[in-house]
Structures are given as structure tokens and as C-alpha cells.
Amino acid sequence: MQTQMTAKRALDLALGSVLLVLAAPLLAAGAVALAARRPPGGVLTRSVRIGLAGRPFVLRTLRTRRLRLDLLSRLPHVVRGELSLVGPEPLTPDDERTRTADGATGGAGGGAGARHWRQELRPGLTGLAQIRSRSGMPWDEPALLDQHYAEHHWLGLDLTILAAAVHIPLRAAVDGLTHRGKAHLSDTDHRLRGYSAAE
């Protein structure tokens, strides 16, 4: 486990640093554009989240979802070690899932052992639950997917999730471009001349 975690942190640090350098011009442009609008509260949102070993940290996010700049703006947290590239969703202190591993409220089943798996992992920019969010799963499924990731994570799974996290929005963008302005033919548009439905 220690070797995997060390390799995971090395991947976060190396890839996170490269992505941050590449994204820096976009993030700077987004911040300048937002600053020009003077949004209330500034260009960044700030919220307390629970990290590795239950330690709280302040998550700073750019106030825009264009080009996924909100997620990219969290890359400094990856480099600092507060987030991982892949992991469970970063939860707020008042979220029920911070008390138990299965998403239930605290109580008899909410002891230290129940939240053990979540405390052993850094939360992530993306994760198994996030890439499956459009699959039509029940409302309680994300917690199970996070727990499944916690129990079975390894670098190969991280790389697969990262690839899917990049592929899904790219595919959506390409689909949007290819279908824009495309005519949709009805059944009657391609019938032979003289065809009658009564025949």
C-alpha cells in the first residue's frame, strides 16, 4: 500500500505540475475576465473541505465552468498535496459522508472504523463517481463508487479515470460541433417519388 501511495503522490506531483503550467495562461485569462465583471466575493470561491486524515483545508476555485477552468484552478491544491488528481469527492465538514463510509448518518454505525477508508485517501479533482455521473445511477450510488475506488485503487485505475475525465468532455464538444446545424431527415424525406403510404 505504501508503494502505491508513494507512486500515486509522485504522479499527482509530476502530472499536476505539468498541467498547472499548461493551464496557467487560461487560468490567468479567466481570472482577468472575471475580475473585470467584479463578481461579489471576488474571482475565487472559498470553502472548507475535509482532506487526508480528516484534516480540513480551504478549497479555492475559480468562479467559472467554461473550459473546465473551475477544476483546473484547483491544481495548486494537487501540487501542495491537499488534493489528488483522482480520488473521492472533496466533502464539506457538515456532509453526512464525512461521518460514515457508506453515506449514512452517524450513530451506532458511525464509529472511527466506518470512516476509515475516506480518511486514508486524499480527495480528488475527479474520480470514479464523477465520470459515472451521467450513467443514470441511483442517487446513493456515488458514495458506493467512492468506496469501491478506495478499496481497489491503483495507478492503472487512476490513469483510466483520468483518460475518461478528458475523453468525456472532448467527445461532448466534438459531438456539439458536428451536430450543430445538421439537418434531421424525417422518414418521408428519403422516400422514392410517387411512394404512397397506402400502398
Side-chain angles (χ1 to χ4, degrees):
M1 174 66 77
Q2 187 62 36
T3 303
Q4 287 183 350
M5 293 304 290
T6 302
K8 181 177 174 65
R9 178 62 190 139
L11 176 68
D12 286 343
L13 189 57
L15 187 54
S17 298
V18 170
L19 291 173
L20 183 57
V21 169
L22 294 175
L26 276 176
L27 293 173
V32 169
L34 283 170
R37 296 182 195 168
R38 297 183 179 176
V43 299
L44 296 174
T45 63
R46 295 169 178 83
S47 60
V48 176
R49 301 300 172 100
I50 300 300
L52 185 66
R55 288 191 296 267
F57 68 97
V58 178
L59 181 67
R60 293 171 177 84
T61 305
L62 202 61
R63 290 181 187 271
T64 178
R65 298 194 64 80
R66 291 189 177 183
L67 303 175
R68 306 299 293 265
L69 290 182
D70 56 332
L71 286 180
L72 293 176
S73 69
R74 296 178 177 183
L75 284 169
H77 293 286
V78 174
V79 175
R80 286 197 298 264
E82 295 164 331
L83 288 178
S84 179
L85 289 171
V86 179
E89 179 186 358
L91 302 178
T92 59
D94 59 346
D95 193 299
E96 292 178 346
R97 291 169 292 175
T98 61
R99 292 181 220 129
T100 65
D102 59 4
T105 56
R115 59 182 187 266
H116 182 67
W117 69 267
R118 195 173 282 280
Q119 290 188 353
E120 284 192 342
L121 287 176
R122 288 180 179 88
L125 284 186
T126 190
L128 194 57
Q130 288 89 333
I131 65 170
R132 294 283 304 276
S133 63
R134 294 185 179 91
S135 65
M137 57 192 174
W139 65 271
D140 59 342
E141 193 81 11
L144 297 177
L145 289 171
D146 278 344
Q147 186 169 0
H148 175 82
Y149 172 81
E151 293 169 352
H152 302 284
H153 72 278
W154 62 293
L155 282 184
L157 180 57
D158 280 11
L159 292 172
T160 301
I161 291 171
L162 285 172
V166 172
H167 179 258
I168 291 170
L170 282 180
R171 185 178 62 190
V174 169
D175 287 348
L177 289 174
T178 57
H179 290 96
R180 183 179 296 169
K182 182 180 282 187
H184 295 281
L185 298 176
S186 69
D187 289 340
T188 58
D189 291 326
H190 51 272
R191 290 175 180 166
L192 295 174
R193 183 174 300 212
Y195 174 85
S196 170
E199 290 177 350

